[in-house]
Amino acid sequence: MIFDYPDPRPHRRHHPGGYRRYESYRPWLRDDFCFRCVYCLKRETWGTTTGEFDLDHFSPQSVSTNRTLDYLNLVYSCHRCNLVKSGHSIDDPLVYLTNRTVVSHLDGAITGTDPETRKLILQLDLDSPVMRKWRHQWIRIVRLARDHDEELLEQLTRFPDNLPNLARRPPTNDAPDGIPRSWHARRERGELPRSY
């Protein structure tokens, strides 16, 4: 299902550092978060690719001034979720928004399996009537495409065309082995899945 949260990850694939502006981490975050919002799972391919996604500090800059340029404090977020979260501190979404802690339902609802996840879903307004309707609409669109229009299904579930080439090295990188596992590198080797 398109709104199934990812498997739990013990760590991120990438860990660049040394940039002077957090916006410089955008290509790395796009790749690490699979070109979708870490919170609601909106995909880049479901809209325009500029202006719809932000880089969010899940521990806000106003609270953790020393973590403004910390890659591990940044997530890839759609503009809507970033606005809802605003300057609030939240728990690490990579820990609490996984396929073990969030159940996605065909009617668009999502439920948390533990108190921390339920709290995060509530803080981010992820199970509001508007979000349920939005998820349900996309579930129906993807199912209709699956049943009647294979080309449309591929357009809706494929990777974006503009995959970032991460071969250009950042100032520092504590996880250089992530570069050959990036989506661009996989495409170059002919290993990119048709959909995700």
Side-chain angles (χ1 to χ4, degrees), residues 111-129:
T111 51
T113 61
D114 60 69
E116 293 85 3
T117 301
R118 288 192 291 275
K119 177 183 171 189
L120 189 56
I121 289 170
L122 186 63
Q123 286 175 309
L124 296 169
D125 202 27
L126 293 175
D127 197 42
S128 69

Side-chain angles (χ1 to χ4, degrees), residues 178-191:
I179 294 173
R181 294 185 293 132
S182 72
W183 298 110
H184 181 274
R186 290 180 188 187
R187 181 175 65 189
E188 294 295 302
R189 293 191 305 268
E191 299 171 357

Side-chain angles (χ1 to χ4, degrees), residues 57-186:
H57 297 82
F58 66 85
S59 180
Q61 297 178 72
S62 59
V63 175
S64 301
T65 55
N66 62 329
R67 296 194 69 198
T68 298
L69 297 174
D70 179 358
Y71 184 76
L72 299 180
N73 187 42
L74 292 167
V75 295
Y76 197 56
S77 168
C78 74
H79 190 62
R80 177 251 173 229
C81 287
N82 194 25
L83 283 175
V84 170
K85 183 195 154 287
S86 189
H88 302 289
S89 290
I90 61 167
D91 292 324
D92 186 344
L94 291 178
V95 173
Y96 295 106
L97 297 178
T98 72
N99 64 6
R100 292 187 186 154
T101 59
V102 179
V103 178
S104 300
H105 304 279
L106 290 176
D107 66 356
I110 60 172
T111 51
T113 61
D114 60 69
E116 293 85 3
T117 301
R118 288 192 291 275
K119 177 183 171 189
L120 189 56
I121 289 170
L122 186 63
Q123 286 175 309
L124 296 169
D125 202 27
L126 293 175
D127 197 42
S128 69
V130 169
M131 290 302 291
R132 285 182 189 182
K133 182 178 178 182
W134 172 78
R135 270 191 300 276
H136 185 244
Q137 179 180 354
W138 273 106
I139 290 167
R140 291 183 63 214
I141 290 169
V142 169
R143 290 176 98 188
L144 284 167
R146 182 194 65 203
D147 294 343
H148 302 287
D149 191 338
E150 193 172 307
E151 183 180 338
L152 177 59
L153 177 64
E154 186 174 327
Q155 288 175 355
L156 295 172
T157 60
R158 72 171 189 235
F159 286 88
D161 294 330
N162 61 340
L163 300 177
N165 183 352
L166 302 177
R168 185 171 157 234
R169 305 285 189 233
T172 64
N173 191 352
D174 290 342
D177 59 323
I179 294 173
R181 294 185 293 132
S182 72
W183 298 110
H184 181 274
R186 290 180 188 187

